[in-house]
């Protein structure tokens, strides 16, 4: 069996390996249009703040991973189109300009998404960018080395926006996030978003919410960001909002797309067209998913899973919530970290449907436990009665997860 993967992100290669798990004679070819193997779009901001050697190490690690798996990986090869009926793709070798066709039995599309730069006056100035490739990271690493790049503006109070904020805070820069929404992280409930915002402000992040960008004043380089309310000094502006799935490649294939343009897939990552699969930010599950994710900004770790109380009620679910806090380790141990959890559950049954958590450390591990409980259809009472690990040096008698579950009546 021949599998072609478009894009070198880990999700695509992992999906291909999963499809060939029981076929020892299978062959996998990866076509990557960039000059480097991807380190993962969502993880790219991290590499802006590390040394070039660490970035090179990540790239080499990806090369080693692909080689060890016996995968034929081709850099500077862009897939231009898909012929779903013939099971072929048209590929251009960007280094030579040669165009050729390649046949597949199964095709995995892992081309990610792109954060869109607002098309307003000045959007073409040097210093107005998005981060979608290793090449972008290399440029930005050099750009921020210059001493005058102090004021960083990030467009979008999203997960990507917070990832970028984290990096530039570590680099000692002034960070401002601008977003047209009135609150950050819209997938969180308003009360939790506000608590997280206040904590991030203590970390040094400035927010300008409910504002839309009107222009990027400056000469060759961006010097300010002009919104409908104010002007802000800006030496570098990075778009981290309005992510558009890169699904133009599906044109003419008959692949069904969601409202935001992502490919609709089932639990097996299959689209509605036989032999075509999609993963990563260019795809979305037909029946939704938990969207379990976490991030650390400064000394604050944030995580979520399932749906918020607001989203649940909008969907017609009789939802309720409780919020509780506890430490990740006994108070007699050094540096105990407070973890707060908002647990969302279905009234009557007590079935857990979502959670949002924040604190100092070890927040993601608690969210993972709740994600498992949601998948298993557990109630808050059942999760509260789980025999969690206790260690006098590592964990408390009553875990924060058990504490919040115990508040459900």
């Amino acid at each position: 069996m021949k599998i072609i993967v478009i894009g070198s992100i880990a999700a695509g290669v992992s999906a291909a390996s999963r499809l060939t798990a029981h076929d020892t004679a299978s062959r996998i070819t990866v076509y990557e249009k960039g000059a480097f193997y991807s380190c993962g779009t969502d993880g790219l901001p991290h590499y802006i703040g590390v040394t070039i050697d660490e970035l090179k190490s990540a790239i080499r690690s990806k090369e080693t991973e692909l080689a060890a798996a016996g995968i034929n990986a081709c850099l500077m090869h862009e897939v231009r189109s898909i012929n779903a009926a013939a099971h072929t793709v048209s590929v251009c070798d960007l280094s030579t300009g040669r165009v050729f066709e390649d046949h597949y039995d199964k095709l995995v599309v892992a081309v990610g998404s792109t954060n869109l730069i607002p098309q307003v006056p000045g959007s073409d100035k040097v210093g107005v960018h998005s981060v979608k490739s290793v090449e972008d990271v290399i440029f930005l690493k050099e750009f921020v080395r210059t001493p005058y790049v102090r004021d960083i503006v990030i467009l979008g109070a999203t997960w990507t926006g917070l990832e970028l904020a984290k990096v530039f805070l570590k680099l000692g820069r002034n960070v401002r996030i601008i977003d047209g929404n009135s609150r950050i992280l819209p997938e969180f409930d308003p009360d939790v978003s506000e608590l997280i915002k206040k904590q991030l402000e203590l970390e040094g992040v400035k927010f300008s919410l409910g504002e839309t960008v009107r222009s990027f004043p400056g000469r060759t380089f961006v010097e300010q960001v002009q919104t409908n309310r104010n002007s802000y000094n800006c030496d570098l502006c990075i778009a981290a909002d309005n992510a558009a799935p890169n699904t133009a490649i599906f044109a003419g294939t008959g692949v069904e797309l969601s409202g935001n343009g992502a490919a609709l897939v089932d639990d097996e990552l299959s689209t509605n067209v036989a032999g075509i699969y999609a993963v990563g930010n260019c795809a979305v599950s037909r029946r939704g998913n938990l969207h379990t994710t976490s991030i650390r900004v400064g000394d604050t770790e944030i995580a979520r899973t399932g749906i918020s109380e607001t989203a649940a009620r909008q969907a017609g679910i009789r939802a309720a919530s409780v919020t509780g806090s506890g430490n990740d380790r006994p108070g007699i141990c050094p540096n105990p970290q407070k973890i707060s959890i908002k647990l969302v559950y279905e009234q009557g049954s007590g079935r857990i449907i979502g959670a949002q958590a924040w604190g100092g450390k070890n927040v993601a591990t608690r969210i993972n436990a709740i994600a498992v409980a949601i998948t298993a259809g557990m109630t808050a009472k059942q999760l509260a009665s789980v025999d969690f690990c206790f260690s006098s040096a590592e964990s408390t008698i009553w875990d924060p997860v058990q504490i919040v579950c115990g508040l459900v009546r």
Side-chain angles (χ1 to χ4, degrees):
M1 178 168 60
K2 170 71 175 295
I3 294 184
I4 291 177
V5 182
I6 306 176
S8 63
I9 65 170
V13 175
S14 176
S17 300
R18 174 175 160 187
L19 291 172
T20 60
H22 303 294
D23 186 351
T24 56
S26 62
R27 293 173 295 133
I28 300 175
T29 296
V30 173
Y31 288 121
E32 167 59 55
K33 73 175 183 179
F36 304 94
Y37 296 114
S38 174
C39 299
T41 305
D42 292 338
L44 283 175
H46 165 75
Y47 294 99
I48 297 174
V50 302
T51 66
I52 193 67
D53 286 339
E54 289 176 271
L55 176 58
K56 289 179 179 178
S57 176
I59 295 170
R60 284 195 300 268
S61 176
K62 188 60 176 284
E63 293 173 350
T64 302
E65 172 193 334
L66 295 174
I71 295 172
N72 175 34
C74 306
L75 293 174
M76 298 292 290
H77 280 66
E78 181 181 15
V79 175
R80 297 280 178 82
S81 63
I82 302 168
N83 187 329
H87 277 219
T88 60
V89 293
S90 176
V91 186
C92 178
D93 182 343
L94 298 177
S95 61
T96 65
R98 182 176 73 94
V99 178
F100 61 93
E101 286 193 348
D102 198 1
H103 179 272
Y104 65 85
D105 295 303
K106 293 183 178 180
L107 177 69
V108 178
V109 180
V111 290
S113 62
T114 301
N115 289 304
L116 303 177
I117 297 172
Q119 295 305 295
V120 297
S123 62
D124 58 345
K125 285 185 169 56
V126 179
V128 181
H129 298 277
S130 62
V131 184
K132 60 181 184 295
S133 67
V134 174
E135 288 89 337
D136 292 331
V137 170
I138 293 172
F139 171 82
L140 290 171
K141 285 177 66 65
E142 290 301 310
F143 192 77
V144 298
R145 285 178 62 186
T146 55
Y148 67 85
V149 180
R150 300 298 307 170
D151 296 314
I152 313 296
V153 173
I154 298 165
L155 305 182
T158 60
W159 285 100
T160 302
L162 295 187
E163 285 280 4
L164 288 163
K166 171 182 70 176
V167 170
F168 290 114
L169 283 178
K170 284 185 177 181
L171 293 174
R173 304 304 201 266
N174 304 317
V175 178
R176 178 179 298 277
I177 295 180
I178 299 175
D179 197 299
N181 292 314
S182 59
R183 60 188 178 91
I184 71 171
L185 298 172
E187 61 268 47
F188 282 71
D189 284 314
D191 55 334
V192 179
S193 290
E194 185 59 27
L195 289 170
I196 294 172
K197 174 177 171 287
K198 289 179 179 178
Q199 185 60 42
L200 295 179
E201 286 173 333
L202 293 176
E203 302 285 355
V205 181
K206 296 178 181 177
F207 291 95
S208 297
L209 303 179
E211 300 186 30
T212 53
V213 176
R214 294 291 175 81
S215 66
F216 297 102
R219 293 178 286 275
T220 302
F221 292 81
V222 65
E223 297 173 10
Q224 289 183 320
V225 175
Q226 175 76 52
T227 73
N228 58 323
R229 293 184 184 174
N230 213 330
S231 292
Y232 305 100
N233 292 334
C234 176
D235 302 313
L236 173 62
C237 179
I238 303 181
D241 199 5
N242 297 320
N246 298 324
T247 49
I249 189 67
F250 290 122
T253 63
V255 168
E256 187 180 357
L257 305 180
S258 68
N260 76 333
L264 289 167
V265 298
D266 60 20
D267 291 346
E268 300 302 318
L269 307 177
S270 178
T271 68
N272 62 305
V273 176
I276 299 181
Y277 300 77
V279 295
N281 290 340
C282 69
V284 63
S285 171
R286 290 181 176 277
R287 65 185 186 91
N289 56 52
L290 294 180
H291 296 292
T292 305
T293 187
S294 71
I295 185 177
R296 169 170 287 279
V297 181
D299 293 327
T300 304
E301 187 176 340
I302 309 160
R304 68 172 303 282
T305 189
I307 61 176
S308 66
E309 184 178 10
T310 304
R313 289 180 174 173
Q314 289 173 345
I317 300 171
R318 293 179 61 248
S321 68
V322 291
T323 301
S325 301
N327 288 341
D328 68 334
R329 66 191 68 183
I332 60 172
C333 295
N335 301 317
Q337 301 291 318
K338 180 182 177 182
I339 296 174
S340 298
I341 302 173
K342 178 173 182 177
L343 190 77
V344 184
Y345 62 95
E346 186 179 57
Q347 293 186 47
S349 69
R351 181 174 62 90
I352 302 170
I353 57 177
Q356 300 146 58
W358 61 100
K361 290 183 179 178
N362 301 316
V363 175
T365 56
R366 271 68 190 185
I367 281 293
N368 280 338
I370 296 173
V372 171
I374 293 173
T375 302
M378 294 176 68
T379 65
K381 183 177 180 180
Q382 289 172 325
L383 183 56
S385 63
V386 169
D387 186 12
F388 279 64
C389 174
F390 167 70
S391 165
S392 59
E394 296 293 337
S395 56
T396 58
I397 295 177
W398 294 105
D399 189 87
V401 172
Q402 293 171 302
I403 290 173
V404 72
C405 287
L407 299 176
V408 176
R409 295 290 181 262

